[in-house]
Amino acid sequence: MTRRLAILAGSGALPVLLADTAPGAYCVTFAGVPHELRCVTHQFHFEKLGELFGALKAEGVTEVVFAGSMSRPPLDPAAFDLVMLGLAPRLMTAMQGGDDALLRLVITIFEEQGFTVRGAHEIAPQLTVSEGIFCGSGPSEQALQDADRAADILNALAPVDVGQGCVVAGGLCLGIETIQGTDALLGFVAGTPKHLRRNAKGVFVKALKRGQDLRIDMPAIGPETVKNAATAGVEGIVLQAGGVLILDRHATKHAAEQAGIFIMGRAL
């Protein structure tokens, strides 16, 4: 059976990288969601998922990958098509919970329509971080201890579906990533008084939520993350090996080297 991929794109660099990796993909964007795709795109409305499913099937799409940032859209029930009307009760219920529950339901809905949902790491495995030092001189012993502490915090929060990132310095939690995202977390940490850091720079840890499905909302960093981490004053960035994407590897590495911070992959 011939397989064809569709990229369901949000904003950011990841959809562009996937489109470059899979040039024959059918590129989907959504009304009201900015994107940076350079390929031919096909726009749909969230209220009319029936139109989206029909177009994907007509184009011979068998696999889909979700890529990029996409906030929860405001929905107009008056614009729902018949398919969306049937899905609305489940979607509305899931939207009252955390991101993980909602995204799992989205995967289920696409699978019910006969599509295989792929992860970005399956389409472009070269984007994932491996275990070991990616750049920089490596962590201090304190940084490794802080990374373990951050991982413990993230694992403790996983059951309530909160956070893929955490900053710890000298054993103290300086911030947790919430709905506002990584940049907001690092901006908050940048304003933390030095005396609260126990004379430790600390580390920023980015990881999957425990039990998270790798096929959707896979965490990622890029050069802007590195710049914000440097402004936040951390010693380095620790990423879950195999569970976090590095976007624009060359620019990300250059930014870290310029800032004098390390980036490493680690089993967490």
Side-chain angles (χ1 to χ4, degrees), residues 50-69:
E51 290 185 3
L52 170 60
F53 296 146
L56 293 178
K57 292 171 183 177
E59 289 293 324
V61 169
T62 58
E63 301 177 332
V64 299
V65 59
F66 297 89
S69 176

Side-chain angles (χ1 to χ4, degrees), residues 131-148:
E131 192 163 356
I133 302 299
F134 176 72
C135 65
S137 58
S140 64
E141 186 58 36
Q142 180 64 63
L144 291 176
Q145 293 176 12
D146 285 342
D148 288 341

Side-chain angles (χ1 to χ4, degrees), residues 180-189:
Q180 292 86 356
T182 298
D183 292 345
L185 161 64
L186 294 173
F188 178 77
V189 172

